[in-house]
Amino acid sequence: MPVVKRPIGIFDSGFGGLTVARALFDLMPAEDYVYIGDTGRYPYGSKPLEDVRGYAEELAHSLIDDFDAKAIIVACNTATAAGLDDLRAGTTVPIIDVVAPGAYALVSATRTGRVGVIGTVGTVSSGAYVHAVAAAAQQSSETVDLTSAACPGFVEFVERGQITGDEVTVLAERLLAPVRLAEVDTLLLGCTHYPFLARTIADVMGPDVVLVSSADETAFAAKDQLHQLGLLRTGGSVGSRRFLSSGDVDSFRELGSALLGFELDRAERWPIRNSA
Ligand code: DGL
């Protein structure tokens, strides 16, 4: 099959990457997609980054070897923060991540220069955003003051389908205190699960704070890169979408459909090979 007609592979620890998938489907509808949610091993955010790096490599190689993916979208900040250098060095397929596009969007959106990033413990402790935001600021000749906050517990709420309510609000008030105190004017949702909690996060942060999600920016970055490489599929027809999960497939179908707003009816099982 010509490379251009091969699918785009997407992965995340669970449902979070569906926020990125939706942006990709909207921007590049003619492409075929294969999405794997690693719900059998989620959450990634509280696991050692070395383990997460191994999961990411297994998922990416499966998308390339088993599904013939022409490009990989790492729709997970924690997997990106764990380090993609070995993966990139070991494959000729473009590997597109969510961290750099999110950092550029954050730096472009701020008015005061006081910016915040929230993410999993793994993402925040890796310092990935400190580097990515500094690089984005340097490239745009902007000066920014970054405050980061880890939000353990947010991902678990999303994976349970509990995206609003008092419990989420109480947790959000506690975890978002550092970025509120820093008076950021722009906050990057540095975990692909967090856009599902955007309403609560926006309520807690207040109307003057702009929330930035990396989903749209990542889709634009992916389109640019595919276009430059001559791999972009165009045309009128809508491509196929295939969803797989390493955990309970029934709940993946049910909750995934509810969160994404369209059917994951035919979601399939993706077997974990390297369970170490
Ligand atoms: N959605 C992922 C991220 O962007 C991972 C969340 C998790 O599994 O802890 O970081």
Side-chain angles (χ1 to χ4, degrees):
M1 188 194 290
V3 184
V4 74
K5 290 199 169 158
R6 282 159 39 188
I8 295 174
I10 311 167
F11 73 84
D12 177 45
S13 65
F15 298 103
L18 294 176
T19 60
V20 181
R22 182 156 46 195
L24 290 163
F25 298 169
D26 289 347
L27 194 65
M28 298 181 280
E31 298 285 353
D32 291 338
Y33 293 92
V34 180
Y35 179 98
I36 306 178
D38 197 7
T39 46
R41 293 186 290 206
Y42 112 94
Y44 283 3
S46 51
K47 296 212 164 69
L49 290 176
E50 201 186 320
D51 292 358
V52 175
R53 199 176 311 129
Y55 304 159
E57 287 186 8
E58 186 188 351
L59 287 154
H61 284 296
S62 170
L63 284 164
I64 297 165
D65 299 340
D66 305 331
F67 300 94
D68 211 16
K70 66 179 175 185
I72 301 294
I73 313 291
V74 182
C76 176
N77 291 264
T78 314
T80 306
L84 300 173
D85 289 352
D86 288 352
L87 181 58
R88 286 193 166 112
T91 173
T92 49
V93 166
I95 309 281
I96 296 149
D97 68 76
V98 284
V99 169
Y104 281 104
L106 180 69
V107 170
S108 319
T110 184
R111 303 171 309 273
T112 64
R114 284 191 304 278
V115 296
V117 173
I118 53 172
T120 65
V121 171
T123 298
V124 171
S125 66
S126 74
Y129 271 109
V130 175
H131 294 114
V133 170
Q138 195 178 16
Q139 190 165 324
S140 331
S141 306
E142 299 282 346
T143 307
V144 294
D145 182 7
L146 173 68
T147 303
S148 309
C151 295
F154 275 10
V155 168
E156 287 77 356
F157 273 121
V158 173
E159 293 280 328
R160 286 202 297 270
Q162 196 179 339
I163 54 175
T164 52
D166 290 349
E167 271 182 89
V168 189
T169 304
V170 168
L171 183 67
E173 276 169 351
R174 183 162 61 78
L175 296 174
L176 298 174
V179 281
R180 287 174 73 192
L181 210 66
E183 296 184 347
V184 303
D185 75 348
T186 312
L187 181 67
L188 175 65
L189 308 181
C191 170
T192 53
H193 281 70
Y194 296 177
F196 292 120
L197 302 174
R199 200 188 316 160
T200 305
I201 295 170
D203 283 349
V204 172
M205 293 305 296
D208 296 334
V209 177
V210 176
L211 300 188
V212 176
S213 142
S214 45
D216 290 338
E217 298 307 319
T218 302
F220 287 126
K223 188 174 181 183
D224 270 3
Q225 203 163 329
L226 291 175
H227 176 68
Q228 276 169 28
L229 295 169
L231 295 178
L232 186 65
R233 195 166 173 178
T234 49
S237 62
V238 174
S240 67
R241 287 98 169 80
R242 200 166 161 191
F243 298 93
L244 298 99
S245 157
S246 60
D248 182 75
V249 178
D250 287 336
S251 51
F252 187 75
R253 279 188 198 118
E254 202 176 313
L255 187 55
S257 303
L259 290 172
L260 192 59
F262 55 81
E263 296 302 306
L264 276 75
D265 267 357
R266 291 196 306 272
E268 304 154 59
R269 176 144 188 84
W270 180 79
I272 293 172
R273 282 168 206 147
N274 175 12
S275 52

PDB file of all heavy atoms in Angstrom, residues 12-17 41-46 75-79 98 119-120 123 155-156 159 190-194, ligand 1:
ATOM      1  N   ASP A  12      -2.463   6.693  23.958  1.00  0.00           N
ATOM      2  CA  ASP A  12      -2.489   7.353  25.276  1.00  0.00           C
ATOM      3  C   ASP A  12      -2.664   6.242  26.313  1.00  0.00           C
ATOM      4  O   ASP A  12      -2.928   5.090  25.963  1.00  0.00           O
ATOM      5  CB  ASP A  12      -3.657   8.348  25.346  1.00  0.00           C
ATOM      6  CG  ASP A  12      -3.772   9.018  26.721  1.00  0.00           C
ATOM      7  OD1 ASP A  12      -2.734   9.439  27.261  1.00  0.00           O
ATOM      8  OD2 ASP A  12      -4.885   9.105  27.268  1.00  0.00           O
ATOM      9  N   SER A  13      -2.592   6.635  27.575  1.00  0.00           N
ATOM     10  CA  SER A  13      -2.809   5.651  28.641  1.00  0.00           C
ATOM     11  C   SER A  13      -4.282   5.234  28.717  1.00  0.00           C
ATOM     12  O   SER A  13      -4.598   4.230  29.340  1.00  0.00           O
ATOM     13  CB  SER A  13      -2.391   6.236  29.984  1.00  0.00           C
ATOM     14  OG  SER A  13      -3.225   7.323  30.318  1.00  0.00           O
ATOM     15  N   GLY A  14      -5.166   6.024  28.135  1.00  0.00           N
ATOM     16  CA  GLY A  14      -6.596   5.692  28.250  1.00  0.00           C
ATOM     17  C   GLY A  14      -7.426   6.570  27.346  1.00  0.00           C
ATOM     18  O   GLY A  14      -7.245   6.583  26.123  1.00  0.00           O
ATOM     19  N   PHE A  15      -8.299   7.359  27.975  1.00  0.00           N
ATOM     20  CA  PHE A  15      -9.265   8.161  27.213  1.00  0.00           C
ATOM     21  C   PHE A  15      -8.743   9.544  26.843  1.00  0.00           C
ATOM     22  O   PHE A  15      -9.325  10.214  25.998  1.00  0.00           O
ATOM     23  CB  PHE A  15     -10.558   8.330  28.022  1.00  0.00           C
ATOM     24  CG  PHE A  15     -11.242   7.020  28.302  1.00  0.00           C
ATOM     25  CD1 PHE A  15     -11.163   6.423  29.550  1.00  0.00           C
ATOM     26  CD2 PHE A  15     -11.948   6.373  27.301  1.00  0.00           C
ATOM     27  CE1 PHE A  15     -11.786   5.207  29.796  1.00  0.00           C
ATOM     28  CE2 PHE A  15     -12.575   5.163  27.540  1.00  0.00           C
ATOM     29  CZ  PHE A  15     -12.497   4.574  28.796  1.00  0.00           C
ATOM     30  N   GLY A  16      -7.699  10.006  27.541  1.00  0.00           N
ATOM     31  CA  GLY A  16      -7.218  11.378  27.349  1.00  0.00           C
ATOM     32  C   GLY A  16      -6.874  11.685  25.906  1.00  0.00           C
ATOM     33  O   GLY A  16      -7.208  12.752  25.384  1.00  0.00           O
ATOM     34  N   GLY A  17      -6.229  10.746  25.242  1.00  0.00           N
ATOM     35  CA  GLY A  17      -5.810  10.975  23.858  1.00  0.00           C
ATOM     36  C   GLY A  17      -6.975  11.162  22.910  1.00  0.00           C
ATOM     37  O   GLY A  17      -6.796  11.614  21.780  1.00  0.00           O
ATOM     38  N   ARG A  41      -2.953  -0.432  31.736  1.00  0.00           N
ATOM     39  CA  ARG A  41      -1.779  -0.018  32.531  1.00  0.00           C
ATOM     40  C   ARG A  41      -1.881   1.420  33.027  1.00  0.00           C
ATOM     41  O   ARG A  41      -0.940   1.946  33.590  1.00  0.00           O
ATOM     42  CB  ARG A  41      -0.503  -0.186  31.687  1.00  0.00           C
ATOM     43  CG  ARG A  41      -0.207  -1.630  31.392  1.00  0.00           C
ATOM     44  CD  ARG A  41       1.120  -1.810  30.698  1.00  0.00           C
ATOM     45  NE  ARG A  41       1.111  -1.313  29.320  1.00  0.00           N
ATOM     46  CZ  ARG A  41       1.917  -1.780  28.362  1.00  0.00           C
ATOM     47  NH1 ARG A  41       2.781  -2.735  28.634  1.00  0.00           N
ATOM     48  NH2 ARG A  41       1.862  -1.293  27.146  1.00  0.00           N
ATOM     49  N   TYR A  42      -3.053   2.072  32.768  1.00  0.00           N
ATOM     50  CA  TYR A  42      -3.203   3.443  33.229  1.00  0.00           C
ATOM     51  C   TYR A  42      -3.284   3.420  34.754  1.00  0.00           C
ATOM     52  O   TYR A  42      -3.616   2.367  35.313  1.00  0.00           O
ATOM     53  CB  TYR A  42      -4.475   4.074  32.608  1.00  0.00           C
ATOM     54  CG  TYR A  42      -5.558   4.334  33.627  1.00  0.00           C
ATOM     55  CD1 TYR A  42      -5.674   5.586  34.237  1.00  0.00           C
ATOM     56  CD2 TYR A  42      -6.401   3.311  34.056  1.00  0.00           C
ATOM     57  CE1 TYR A  42      -6.612   5.803  35.213  1.00  0.00           C
ATOM     58  CE2 TYR A  42      -7.343   3.537  35.048  1.00  0.00           C
ATOM     59  CZ  TYR A  42      -7.437   4.764  35.611  1.00  0.00           C
ATOM     60  OH  TYR A  42      -8.345   4.988  36.596  1.00  0.00           O
ATOM     61  N   PRO A  43      -3.056   4.495  35.523  1.00  0.00           N
ATOM     62  CA  PRO A  43      -2.554   5.770  35.019  1.00  0.00           C
ATOM     63  C   PRO A  43      -1.029   5.733  34.840  1.00  0.00           C
ATOM     64  O   PRO A  43      -0.337   5.025  35.556  1.00  0.00           O
ATOM     65  CB  PRO A  43      -2.935   6.738  36.138  1.00  0.00           C
ATOM     66  CG  PRO A  43      -2.910   5.911  37.387  1.00  0.00           C
ATOM     67  CD  PRO A  43      -3.317   4.527  36.975  1.00  0.00           C
ATOM     68  N   TYR A  44      -0.553   6.497  33.867  1.00  0.00           N
ATOM     69  CA  TYR A  44       0.880   6.604  33.640  1.00  0.00           C
ATOM     70  C   TYR A  44       1.509   7.616  34.600  1.00  0.00           C
ATOM     71  O   TYR A  44       2.671   7.522  34.946  1.00  0.00           O
ATOM     72  CB  TYR A  44       1.152   7.094  32.211  1.00  0.00           C
ATOM     73  CG  TYR A  44       1.000   6.079  31.112  1.00  0.00           C
ATOM     74  CD1 TYR A  44       0.570   4.777  31.354  1.00  0.00           C
ATOM     75  CD2 TYR A  44       1.315   6.442  29.802  1.00  0.00           C
ATOM     76  CE1 TYR A  44       0.456   3.864  30.305  1.00  0.00           C
ATOM     77  CE2 TYR A  44       1.208   5.533  28.758  1.00  0.00           C
ATOM     78  CZ  TYR A  44       0.768   4.257  29.003  1.00  0.00           C
ATOM     79  OH  TYR A  44       0.662   3.375  27.964  1.00  0.00           O
ATOM     80  N   GLY A  45       0.706   8.622  34.979  1.00  0.00           N
ATOM     81  CA  GLY A  45       1.250   9.797  35.672  1.00  0.00           C
ATOM     82  C   GLY A  45       1.916   9.516  37.002  1.00  0.00           C
ATOM     83  O   GLY A  45       2.773  10.281  37.443  1.00  0.00           O
ATOM     84  N   SER A  46       1.545   8.422  37.653  1.00  0.00           N
ATOM     85  CA  SER A  46       2.130   8.123  38.960  1.00  0.00           C
ATOM     86  C   SER A  46       3.185   7.024  38.858  1.00  0.00           C
ATOM     87  O   SER A  46       3.722   6.574  39.859  1.00  0.00           O
ATOM     88  CB  SER A  46       1.014   7.685  39.916  1.00  0.00           C
ATOM     89  OG  SER A  46       0.252   6.659  39.309  1.00  0.00           O
ATOM     90  N   ALA A  75      -0.279  10.938  22.050  1.00  0.00           N
ATOM     91  CA  ALA A  75      -1.331  11.827  22.579  1.00  0.00           C
ATOM     92  C   ALA A  75      -1.337  11.788  24.104  1.00  0.00           C
ATOM     93  O   ALA A  75      -2.395  11.707  24.729  1.00  0.00           O
ATOM     94  CB  ALA A  75      -2.680  11.418  22.007  1.00  0.00           C
ATOM     95  N   CYS A  76      -0.154  11.844  24.675  1.00  0.00           N
ATOM     96  CA  CYS A  76       0.004  11.685  26.118  1.00  0.00           C
ATOM     97  C   CYS A  76       1.221  12.491  26.562  1.00  0.00           C
ATOM     98  O   CYS A  76       2.338  12.257  26.079  1.00  0.00           O
ATOM     99  CB  CYS A  76       0.215  10.209  26.436  1.00  0.00           C
ATOM    100  SG  CYS A  76       0.539   9.883  28.179  1.00  0.00           S
ATOM    101  N   ASN A  77       0.986  13.443  27.448  1.00  0.00           N
ATOM    102  CA  ASN A  77       2.090  14.279  27.934  1.00  0.00           C
ATOM    103  C   ASN A  77       3.086  13.467  28.755  1.00  0.00           C
ATOM    104  O   ASN A  77       4.288  13.678  28.667  1.00  0.00           O
ATOM    105  CB  ASN A  77       1.542  15.394  28.819  1.00  0.00           C
ATOM    106  CG  ASN A  77       0.740  16.402  28.027  1.00  0.00           C
ATOM    107  OD1 ASN A  77       1.258  17.431  27.626  1.00  0.00           O
ATOM    108  ND2 ASN A  77      -0.519  16.111  27.779  1.00  0.00           N
ATOM    109  N   THR A  78       2.562  12.543  29.562  1.00  0.00           N
ATOM    110  CA  THR A  78       3.455  11.785  30.443  1.00  0.00           C
ATOM    111  C   THR A  78       4.397  10.911  29.616  1.00  0.00           C
ATOM    112  O   THR A  78       5.599  10.826  29.921  1.00  0.00           O
ATOM    113  CB  THR A  78       2.635  10.915  31.429  1.00  0.00           C
ATOM    114  OG1 THR A  78       1.587  11.706  31.986  1.00  0.00           O
ATOM    115  CG2 THR A  78       3.512  10.389  32.538  1.00  0.00           C
ATOM    116  N   ALA A  79       3.868  10.274  28.578  1.00  0.00           N
ATOM    117  CA  ALA A  79       4.717   9.442  27.717  1.00  0.00           C
ATOM    118  C   ALA A  79       5.754  10.309  27.007  1.00  0.00           C
ATOM    119  O   ALA A  79       6.909   9.909  26.839  1.00  0.00           O
ATOM    120  CB  ALA A  79       3.863   8.696  26.698  1.00  0.00           C
ATOM    121  N   VAL A  98       2.743  15.959  22.063  1.00  0.00           N
ATOM    122  CA  VAL A  98       1.820  17.030  22.455  1.00  0.00           C
ATOM    123  C   VAL A  98       2.489  18.170  23.238  1.00  0.00           C
ATOM    124  O   VAL A  98       1.876  19.222  23.417  1.00  0.00           O
ATOM    125  CB  VAL A  98       0.652  16.468  23.321  1.00  0.00           C
ATOM    126  CG1 VAL A  98      -0.359  15.737  22.473  1.00  0.00           C
ATOM    127  CG2 VAL A  98       1.153  15.575  24.440  1.00  0.00           C
ATOM    128  N   GLY A 119      -0.320  19.211  35.058  1.00  0.00           N
ATOM    129  CA  GLY A 119      -0.115  17.904  34.437  1.00  0.00           C
ATOM    130  C   GLY A 119      -0.015  16.829  35.493  1.00  0.00           C
ATOM    131  O   GLY A 119      -0.257  17.073  36.684  1.00  0.00           O
ATOM    132  N   THR A 120       0.342  15.636  35.061  1.00  0.00           N
ATOM    133  CA  THR A 120       0.499  14.536  36.016  1.00  0.00           C
ATOM    134  C   THR A 120       1.797  14.741  36.810  1.00  0.00           C
ATOM    135  O   THR A 120       2.653  15.562  36.431  1.00  0.00           O
ATOM    136  CB  THR A 120       0.572  13.179  35.286  1.00  0.00           C
ATOM    137  OG1 THR A 120       1.760  13.157  34.483  1.00  0.00           O
ATOM    138  CG2 THR A 120      -0.651  12.955  34.409  1.00  0.00           C
ATOM    139  N   THR A 123       4.752  14.116  34.511  1.00  0.00           N
ATOM    140  CA  THR A 123       5.032  15.196  33.550  1.00  0.00           C
ATOM    141  C   THR A 123       5.681  16.384  34.259  1.00  0.00           C
ATOM    142  O   THR A 123       6.700  16.912  33.813  1.00  0.00           O
ATOM    143  CB  THR A 123       3.724  15.648  32.859  1.00  0.00           C
ATOM    144  OG1 THR A 123       3.190  14.544  32.144  1.00  0.00           O
ATOM    145  CG2 THR A 123       3.963  16.804  31.916  1.00  0.00           C
ATOM    146  N   VAL A 155      -6.890  12.528  36.526  1.00  0.00           N
ATOM    147  CA  VAL A 155      -7.001  11.487  35.492  1.00  0.00           C
ATOM    148  C   VAL A 155      -7.966  10.385  35.949  1.00  0.00           C
ATOM    149  O   VAL A 155      -8.797   9.902  35.171  1.00  0.00           O
ATOM    150  CB  VAL A 155      -5.599  10.905  35.177  1.00  0.00           C
ATOM    151  CG1 VAL A 155      -5.701   9.642  34.328  1.00  0.00           C
ATOM    152  CG2 VAL A 155      -4.751  11.944  34.463  1.00  0.00           C
ATOM    153  N   GLU A 156      -7.873  10.038  37.234  1.00  0.00           N
ATOM    154  CA  GLU A 156      -8.734   8.970  37.767  1.00  0.00           C
ATOM    155  C   GLU A 156     -10.207   9.367  37.659  1.00  0.00           C
ATOM    156  O   GLU A 156     -11.061   8.536  37.350  1.00  0.00           O
ATOM    157  CB  GLU A 156      -8.358   8.660  39.223  1.00  0.00           C
ATOM    158  CG  GLU A 156      -7.044   7.894  39.390  1.00  0.00           C
ATOM    159  CD  GLU A 156      -5.779   8.737  39.235  1.00  0.00           C
ATOM    160  OE1 GLU A 156      -5.879   9.947  38.905  1.00  0.00           O
ATOM    161  OE2 GLU A 156      -4.688   8.183  39.436  1.00  0.00           O
ATOM    162  N   GLU A 159     -11.189   8.877  34.025  1.00  0.00           N
ATOM    163  CA  GLU A 159     -11.282   7.462  33.655  1.00  0.00           C
ATOM    164  C   GLU A 159     -12.518   6.807  34.279  1.00  0.00           C
ATOM    165  O   GLU A 159     -12.969   5.765  33.811  1.00  0.00           O
ATOM    166  CB  GLU A 159     -10.000   6.711  34.061  1.00  0.00           C
ATOM    167  CG  GLU A 159      -8.761   7.140  33.272  1.00  0.00           C
ATOM    168  CD  GLU A 159      -8.641   6.521  31.876  1.00  0.00           C
ATOM    169  OE1 GLU A 159      -9.093   5.385  31.689  1.00  0.00           O
ATOM    170  OE2 GLU A 159      -8.122   7.199  30.964  1.00  0.00           O
ATOM    171  N   GLY A 190      -1.778  20.449  30.574  1.00  0.00           N
ATOM    172  CA  GLY A 190      -0.640  19.626  30.142  1.00  0.00           C
ATOM    173  C   GLY A 190      -0.840  18.142  30.379  1.00  0.00           C
ATOM    174  O   GLY A 190       0.108  17.415  30.685  1.00  0.00           O
ATOM    175  N   CYS A 191      -2.061  17.708  30.249  1.00  0.00           N
ATOM    176  CA  CYS A 191      -2.400  16.279  30.299  1.00  0.00           C
ATOM    177  C   CYS A 191      -3.621  16.149  29.403  1.00  0.00           C
ATOM    178  O   CYS A 191      -4.563  16.943  29.512  1.00  0.00           O
ATOM    179  CB  CYS A 191      -2.734  15.854  31.724  1.00  0.00           C
ATOM    180  SG  CYS A 191      -3.449  14.192  31.817  1.00  0.00           S
ATOM    181  N   THR A 192      -3.576  15.172  28.511  1.00  0.00           N
ATOM    182  CA  THR A 192      -4.649  15.099  27.515  1.00  0.00           C
ATOM    183  C   THR A 192      -6.000  14.699  28.119  1.00  0.00           C
ATOM    184  O   THR A 192      -7.032  14.813  27.453  1.00  0.00           O
ATOM    185  CB  THR A 192      -4.260  14.136  26.371  1.00  0.00           C
ATOM    186  OG1 THR A 192      -3.875  12.879  26.938  1.00  0.00           O
ATOM    187  CG2 THR A 192      -3.122  14.698  25.568  1.00  0.00           C
ATOM    188  N   HIS A 193      -5.989  14.233  29.362  1.00  0.00           N
ATOM    189  CA  HIS A 193      -7.267  13.941  30.036  1.00  0.00           C
ATOM    190  C   HIS A 193      -7.972  15.224  30.502  1.00  0.00           C
ATOM    191  O   HIS A 193      -9.189  15.233  30.693  1.00  0.00           O
ATOM    192  CB  HIS A 193      -7.035  13.083  31.288  1.00  0.00           C
ATOM    193  CG  HIS A 193      -6.829  11.622  31.010  1.00  0.00           C
ATOM    194  ND1 HIS A 193      -5.703  11.135  30.395  1.00  0.00           N
ATOM    195  CD2 HIS A 193      -7.616  10.543  31.294  1.00  0.00           C
ATOM    196  CE1 HIS A 193      -5.802   9.813  30.319  1.00  0.00           C
ATOM    197  NE2 HIS A 193      -6.946   9.422  30.855  1.00  0.00           N
ATOM    198  N   TYR A 194      -7.210  16.278  30.753  1.00  0.00           N
ATOM    199  CA  TYR A 194      -7.774  17.436  31.449  1.00  0.00           C
ATOM    200  C   TYR A 194      -8.827  18.234  30.667  1.00  0.00           C
ATOM    201  O   TYR A 194      -9.695  18.848  31.306  1.00  0.00           O
ATOM    202  CB  TYR A 194      -6.663  18.380  31.929  1.00  0.00           C
ATOM    203  CG  TYR A 194      -5.724  17.802  32.970  1.00  0.00           C
ATOM    204  CD1 TYR A 194      -4.642  18.540  33.443  1.00  0.00           C
ATOM    205  CD2 TYR A 194      -5.903  16.526  33.503  1.00  0.00           C
ATOM    206  CE1 TYR A 194      -3.763  18.020  34.392  1.00  0.00           C
ATOM    207  CE2 TYR A 194      -5.028  15.998  34.440  1.00  0.00           C
ATOM    208  CZ  TYR A 194      -3.955  16.752  34.879  1.00  0.00           C
ATOM    209  OH  TYR A 194      -3.086  16.239  35.812  1.00  0.00           O
TER     210      TYR A 194
HETATM  211  N1  DGL B   1      -3.288  11.522  29.376  1.00  0.00           N
HETATM  212  C1  DGL B   1      -1.975  11.343  29.831  1.00  0.00           C
HETATM  213  C2  DGL B   1      -1.167  12.602  29.845  1.00  0.00           C
HETATM  214  O1  DGL B   1      -1.374  13.422  28.977  1.00  0.00           O
HETATM  215  C3  DGL B   1      -1.698  10.368  30.944  1.00  0.00           C
HETATM  216  C4  DGL B   1      -2.511  10.400  32.159  1.00  0.00           C
HETATM  217  C5  DGL B   1      -2.206   9.238  33.075  1.00  0.00           C
HETATM  218  O2  DGL B   1      -2.349   8.097  32.636  1.00  0.00           O
HETATM  219  O3  DGL B   1      -1.814   9.469  34.231  1.00  0.00           O
HETATM  220  O4  DGL B   1      -0.291  12.807  30.640  1.00  0.00           O
END
